[in-house]
Amino acid sequence: MLILNKTAGFFSKPSKRKIYEYLRSFNFYPGKVFLHKLVLGIETSCDDTAAAVVDETGNILGEAIHSQTEVHLKTGGIIPPVAQQLHRENIQRIVQEALSISKVSPSELSAIATTIKPGLALSLGVGLSFSLQLVDQLKKPFIPIHHMEAHALTIRLTNKVEFPFLVLLISGGHCLLALVRGVSDFLLLGKSLDIAPGDMLDKVARRLSLIKHPECSTMSGGKAIEHLAKQGNKLHFDFRPPMQRTKNCDFSFSGLQHVIDRTITQKEKEEGIEKGQLLSSAADIAAAVQHTTACHIAKRTHRAILFCKQRNLLSESNAVLVVSGGVASNLYIRKALEIITNATQCTLLCPPPRLCTDNGIMIAWNGIERLRAGLGILYDTEGIRYEPKCPLGVDISKEVGEAAIKVPRLKMKI
């Protein structure tokens, strides 16, 4: 847990004149009357600077986002000080753009909601510092947001979903299964013991040098793997799903990544090419990696559904599985999860792809949910800190492991 001013000093002492000029730069709409609660959401937990204004009925009034993907593709991964600087350079413009599009003046906001946990410390600091300035100047309530809570609740913006429901959050930085019982009431069933699936896919894409592939040069690692996998044969390589004999809902991807690395090194020797050159078997490797990842995620999720139904934590006839996070936009993994939900009489729901990745809309919506429930609304921000590492909810993963539920074998014909 780090104190804000240590890494977010860029915004720590703005002059009153600068803030005044900033607030004056917005267009005001005196004839427009908003009858609903309005929340400005700000997201800077990783490498996207995003903001949005959402009302309590779920209308997205304005949004803006600045993606750093292109910069980080060139550096081979996210470098925290670089991400921090890009957030600093863009946050004011992005917030102003979201407010301008929404035709909402800052004074009309009901609250400001900002991601403060978990994420990259340097990135979180920029968003929190900027938000606290606005809160102080506008005299508005502040709603600190847990990034994973926001991902989990996004589905309630786009679909009519009642509590409780099961959520699978899979992204470049996170991987977890949780039962959502309320706006801030989560039971953690399992999580990744090492790296996240999106991180693994990115690393495999870099090891395969897919940025040099003409069809993948502008894609993120995960997107490149998904795209190339369509051209490959998943049966040409036999990568075993991790933790086959461990009867819980935890995940692991680092061991699989090491096996893939060794396989790529072996294939480079066989083909007589240097590291950094494209393998002729790259598409087959991508297909096999994606399939193994999908099977691992699907099996752990299958066990979570069975556990929740056995313990009457989910409805036997009306259970819902929500899948969110950047990796949720992978259609192959989604199809694997459809096989599971069909076998367990569950409904599978995913937010639209643009709401699966990090965005300001989900932060604003989480703010609306908390505002309506009267949870975590701060009128005094003294001592507020960001938390780079922060668990979600109450961890009952040990109980899940002790249940040792055997998962029926399903044919993963995708």
Side-chain angles (χ1 to χ4, degrees), residues 185-228:
D185 185 1
F186 292 76
L187 294 181
L188 183 66
L189 306 175
K191 64 183 184 301
S192 177
L193 302 177
D194 37 66
I195 62 174
D199 186 23
M200 185 207 67
L201 294 173
D202 284 345
K203 285 175 177 172
V204 172
R206 282 200 297 276
R207 183 64 185 84
L208 286 169
S209 303
L210 296 189
I211 196 168
K212 294 180 181 178
H213 195 289
E215 295 175 20
C216 305
S217 59
T218 60
M219 296 179 181
S220 66
K223 286 292 180 190
I225 293 287
E226 183 178 10
H227 176 79
L228 207 58

Side-chain angles (χ1 to χ4, degrees), residues 285-357:
I285 292 172
V289 168
Q290 180 175 252
H291 181 70
T292 306
T293 303
C295 289
H296 179 47
I297 290 171
K299 187 170 184 178
R300 316 315 276 183
T301 304
H302 192 172
R303 181 173 285 113
I305 293 170
L306 296 177
F307 174 84
C308 288
K309 287 196 171 187
Q310 280 186 17
R311 301 298 170 97
N312 295 315
L313 298 170
L314 280 177
S315 164
E316 190 64 43
S317 59
N318 196 28
V320 173
L321 169 67
V322 172
V323 185
S324 192
V327 178
S329 60
N330 182 300
L331 296 180
Y332 191 92
I333 291 173
R334 211 181 273 197
K335 284 176 184 173
L337 291 166
E338 277 177 17
I339 293 171
I340 301 303
T341 52
N342 288 340
T344 53
Q345 289 80 54
C346 278
T347 301
L348 175 64
L349 295 176
C350 303
R354 74 186 184 101
L355 297 182
C356 281
T357 52

Side-chain angles (χ1 to χ4, degrees), residues 24 46 58 61 81 91-92 104 108 155 172 186 195 215 223 245 279 301 308 338 360 399 405 408:
R24 280 197 65 188
C46 190
L61 303 177
I91 189 166
Q92 181 168 315
V104 172
E108 292 170 307
I155 198 68
F186 292 76
I195 62 174
E215 295 175 20
K223 286 292 180 190
R245 296 180 182 178
L279 282 169
T301 304
C308 288
E338 277 177 17
E399 188 182 332
I405 295 170

